[in-house]
Amino acid sequence: MTPQPPDLDPVIHAQARLRVVAALSALPVGDHMTFPYLRTVLDMTAGNLSVHLGKLEDARYVEITKTHQGRRPVTYVALTTRGRAAFDDYTAAIRALLDGATGSEQP
């Protein structure tokens, strides 16, 4: 019997959301990134990034904080503990999938 491939989190699996979570996971725990900086790093439009952040926020994988610096609005994005754990699980599932692919033989 062939082992079942690991399930991949559909929230993270979308390419744009995977890129967002990967970028945020590189930050130390508890740190955040500004929305414009994240948009620049990922080379995404503001609208596209907003849509994907909304899905990640709905899953409670990211926390979005809107505040002001002086009179200027600033939006911070951070990976939550739940989001970091989900990304760790996702990367473990990908590794297992790849290990299975390289260790299997075709009939």
Side-chain angles (χ1 to χ4, degrees):
M1 181 177 218
T2 305
Q4 288 285 49
D7 289 334
L8 299 176
D9 185 330
V11 175
I12 295 176
H13 193 63
Q15 181 184 1
R17 291 191 294 273
L18 176 58
R19 292 174 58 222
V20 169
V21 174
L24 293 173
S25 73
L27 297 172
V29 173
D31 205 354
H32 56 257
M33 201 177 284
T34 64
F35 180 90
Y37 184 71
L38 183 59
R39 186 177 57 79
T40 300
V41 166
L42 299 175
D43 192 27
M44 295 173 71
T45 65
N48 192 17
L49 180 56
S50 291
V51 167
H52 290 293
L53 285 175
K55 291 181 189 229
L56 290 166
E57 187 177 35
D58 288 346
R60 298 190 326 234
Y61 289 177
V62 298
E63 179 178 63
I64 298 171
T65 306
K66 296 182 182 230
T67 187
H68 286 84
Q69 285 184 343
R71 293 182 184 196
R72 294 182 58 167
V74 180
T75 300
Y76 294 106
V77 183
L79 197 58
T80 63
T81 302
R82 179 182 177 132
R84 196 169 291 275
F87 184 64
D88 289 345
D89 290 346
Y90 180 87
T91 56
I94 288 289
R95 282 189 189 99
L97 186 64
L98 294 174
D99 289 346
T102 57
S104 65
E105 294 182 22
Q106 293 288 335

